[in-house]
């Protein structure tokens, strides 16, 4: 599997005039090699060059991870004295023939730490943005990837359902978030969670990326919960909005608008339409309801090994949707000083439309 993925990305890079790819610790390295490392002070670099055996530079304490690799891989390891690390990178660049080549990299992932060692080892190598070639591979999920994403969604949904009976007026946002994190791990989510849950009540819900606070939930609040889980390297990202007791008429009205916008976005999503069409379908419902200026973000983002990846669902993105693409649909309305509403689902484009991984009730439930 990983050899096929490596060849696919090399072919995509060749079409763009590149000779190979450099990856450091992160989701793309896991996707193309199956190897999981975290970013730390010790650099990890994977070099993939057309016609050469893949090569990885790793700290010695991580070498045992290479025993799981199912393809031919060269490895150069180093110990903990940083003054000797450059020697390992010099050797790696010579061995794989990096001097003079044009190599793709991920601008949002490769750090100056790794780049500095590579540039010193091979100053004649040029580097170019490989995001498009990488996303051409990663954006199209196969059935195994889709199954993992479905499991990640199921864990997330089961976790929220388990704690809902314990949520009520008098609890703090922080307490709700803590209960949810514990339950996510109890239900089987892998570490780390894709992100720290957002729990935002009342006026805090008007901030789309609010951080859970010590604010207590009160009668009449709208409560936004945005959370996710991880399963075998793939993640989920969901949002539901709840009522704490009776809420006012406008709160119910904006929830109904967001609910309809969510349905419109899910109905629009199908192969070959541009990403912008999904955004427009959801946004037009909220605009028609008179709240367009209060929908302050894109309708969605790709999801898979990362919580945010290609494709991005926003106005102006004319890239066509393809079977296998997965992304969120998450319209929202945010009224500063009052409250907010967001409903978020994870969907997969199929050959004749889409299916939602998530099926948790989207209605305004009172808790």
């Amino acid at each position: 599997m990983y050899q096929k993925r490596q060849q696919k990305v090399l072919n995509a890079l060749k079409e763009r005039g590149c000779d190979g790819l450099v990856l450091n610790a992160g989701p793309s390295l896991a996707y193309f090699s199956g190897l999981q490392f975290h970013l730390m002070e010790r650099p990890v670099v994977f070099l993939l060059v057309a016609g050469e055996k893949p090569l990885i530079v790793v700290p010695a304490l991580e070498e045992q991870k290479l025993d799981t690799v199912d393809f031919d891989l060269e490895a150069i390891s180093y110990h903990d004295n940083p003054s000797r690390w450059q020697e390992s990178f010099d050797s790696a660049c010579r061995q794989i023939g990096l001097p003079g080549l044009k190599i793709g990299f991920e601008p949002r992932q490769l750090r100056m730490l790794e780049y500095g060692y590579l540039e010193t080892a091979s100053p004649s190598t040029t580097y170019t943005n490989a995001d498009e070639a990488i996303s051409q591979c990663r954006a199209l999920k196969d059935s195994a990837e889709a199954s993992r994403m479905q499991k990640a969604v199921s864990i997330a949904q089961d976790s929220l359902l388990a704690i809902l009976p314990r949520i009520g007026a008098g609890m703090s946002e922080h307490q709700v978030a803590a209960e949810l994190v514990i339950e996510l791990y109890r239900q089987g989510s892998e570490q780390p969670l894709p992100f720290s849950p957002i729990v935002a009540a009342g006026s805090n819900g008007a901030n789309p990326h609010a951080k859970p606070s010590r604010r207590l939930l009160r009668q009449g609040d709208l409560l936004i919960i945005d959370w996710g889980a991880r399963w075998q390297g793939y993640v989920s990202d969901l949002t539901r909005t709840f009522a704490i007791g009776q809420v006012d008429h406008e709160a119910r009205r904006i929830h109904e608008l967001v609910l309809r916008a969510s349905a419109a976005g899910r109905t629009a999503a199908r192969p070959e339409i541009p990403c912008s069409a999904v955004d427009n379908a959801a946004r037009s419902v909220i605009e028609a309801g008179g709240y367009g200026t209060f929908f302050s973000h894109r309708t969605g983002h790709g999801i898979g090994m990362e919580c945010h990846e290609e494709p991005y669902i926003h106005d102006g993105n004319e890239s066509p949707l393809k079977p296998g693409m997965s992304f969120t649909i998450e319209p929202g309305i945010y009224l500063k000083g009052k409250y907010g509403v967001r409903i978020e689902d994870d969907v997969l484009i199929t050959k004749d439309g889409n299916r939602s991984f998530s099926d948790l009730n989207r209605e305004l439930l009172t808790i």
Side-chain angles (χ1 to χ4, degrees):
M1 175 178 72
Y2 296 112
Q3 287 175 304
K4 288 182 179 179
R5 289 179 176 180
Q6 292 166 16
Q7 191 56 56
K8 184 176 180 180
V9 75
L10 284 173
N11 291 342
L13 288 164
K14 183 178 180 180
E15 292 173 2
R16 294 163 174 80
C18 287
D19 303 299
L21 179 67
V22 58
L23 298 170
N24 63 326
S28 288
L29 175 55
Y31 180 83
F32 290 110
S33 72
L35 292 167
Q36 300 273 0
F37 300 96
H38 65 278
L39 283 175
M40 56 180 171
E41 76 282 6
R42 302 178 180 97
V44 173
V45 167
F46 180 77
L47 294 167
L48 189 62
V49 172
E52 300 291 337
K53 188 184 300 184
L55 186 150
I56 191 166
V57 180
V58 293
L61 86 165
E62 299 276 25
E63 274 190 291
Q64 289 187 43
K65 291 184 178 180
L66 306 184
D67 294 342
T68 64
V69 169
D70 64 358
F71 58 90
D72 205 6
L73 176 66
E74 291 285 349
I76 294 176
S77 65
Y78 59 85
H79 292 280
D80 281 342
N81 182 354
S83 68
R84 304 295 301 273
W85 294 356
Q86 186 64 58
E87 297 172 13
S88 297
F89 281 85
D90 293 346
S91 177
C93 290
R94 285 195 305 270
Q95 186 169 326
I96 204 166
L98 209 63
L101 300 184
K102 184 178 182 181
I103 300 296
F105 74 104
E106 293 180 289
R108 290 174 292 183
Q109 186 69 24
L110 189 72
R111 302 176 298 180
M112 286 300 297
L113 174 65
E114 292 87 3
Y115 176 77
Y117 284 115
L118 291 168
E119 200 277 335
T120 299
S122 181
S124 63
T125 302
T126 57
Y127 295 90
T128 188
N129 188 336
D131 279 348
E132 188 176 320
I134 291 170
S135 88
Q136 184 177 319
C137 301
R138 284 182 50 189
L140 302 179
K141 275 66 176 182
D142 60 27
S143 59
E145 292 175 285
S147 294
R148 291 170 183 169
M149 294 180 68
Q150 181 64 73
K151 178 67 172 178
V153 167
S154 297
I155 290 171
Q157 293 189 153
D158 291 345
S159 298
L160 185 65
L161 288 172
I163 71 163
L164 275 181
R166 306 200 292 270
I167 299 175
M171 289 185 74
S172 71
E173 295 172 341
H174 186 270
Q175 287 173 322
V176 175
E179 291 281 345
L180 184 51
V181 168
I182 292 168
E183 193 62 39
L184 284 162
Y185 288 131
R186 183 177 289 127
Q187 294 285 343
S189 177
E190 296 176 345
Q191 295 181 321
L193 293 177
F195 56 94
S196 296
I198 295 170
V199 178
S203 60
N204 289 346
N207 176 0
H209 281 172
K211 181 180 179 180
S213 72
R214 303 292 177 180
R215 183 196 185 279
L216 301 183
L217 277 55
R218 306 174 191 134
Q219 292 291 327
D221 279 343
L222 285 176
L223 173 66
I224 293 177
I225 301 179
D226 186 337
W227 80 111
R230 184 183 301 273
W231 179 255
Q232 293 184 359
Y234 288 77
V235 304
S236 56
D237 182 4
L238 306 173
T239 306
R240 293 292 185 267
T241 302
F242 302 93
I244 305 298
Q246 295 301 310
V247 296
D248 64 32
H249 174 74
E250 187 174 32
R252 292 189 175 278
R253 172 166 169 70
I254 64 172
H255 190 280
E256 178 61 27
L257 281 172
V258 172
L259 184 63
R260 287 167 45 202
S262 168
R266 285 180 282 115
T267 298
R270 60 185 183 275
E272 301 308 325
I273 72 161
C275 293
S276 61
V278 179
D279 181 87
N280 292 337
R283 195 171 303 277
S284 63
V285 173
I286 293 175
E287 289 176 342
Y291 288 87
T293 58
F294 302 101
F295 181 8
S296 55
H297 54 75
R298 64 195 173 205
T299 293
H301 53 79
I303 188 167
M305 297 187 83
E306 292 180 273
C307 209
H308 286 207
E309 58 183 50
E310 296 286 350
Y312 292 99
I313 311 301
H314 61 80
D315 183 42
N317 185 356
E318 300 307 306
S319 300
L321 294 171
K322 301 288 185 182
M325 287 184 170
S326 54
F327 52 91
T328 66
I329 295 178
E330 50 178 304
I333 295 174
Y334 310 94
L335 305 183
K336 187 175 180 180
K338 296 183 73 174
Y339 36 58
V341 172
R342 183 166 64 254
I343 298 171
E344 179 179 17
D345 291 284
D346 302 344
V347 302
L348 176 73
I349 296 297
T350 61
K351 64 180 181 180
D352 53 4
N354 76 82
R355 73 177 176 94
S356 178
F357 289 121
S358 41
D359 59 4
L360 192 66
N361 194 334
R362 301 177 183 91
E363 300 290 336
L364 183 59
L365 299 181
T366 299
I367 56 177

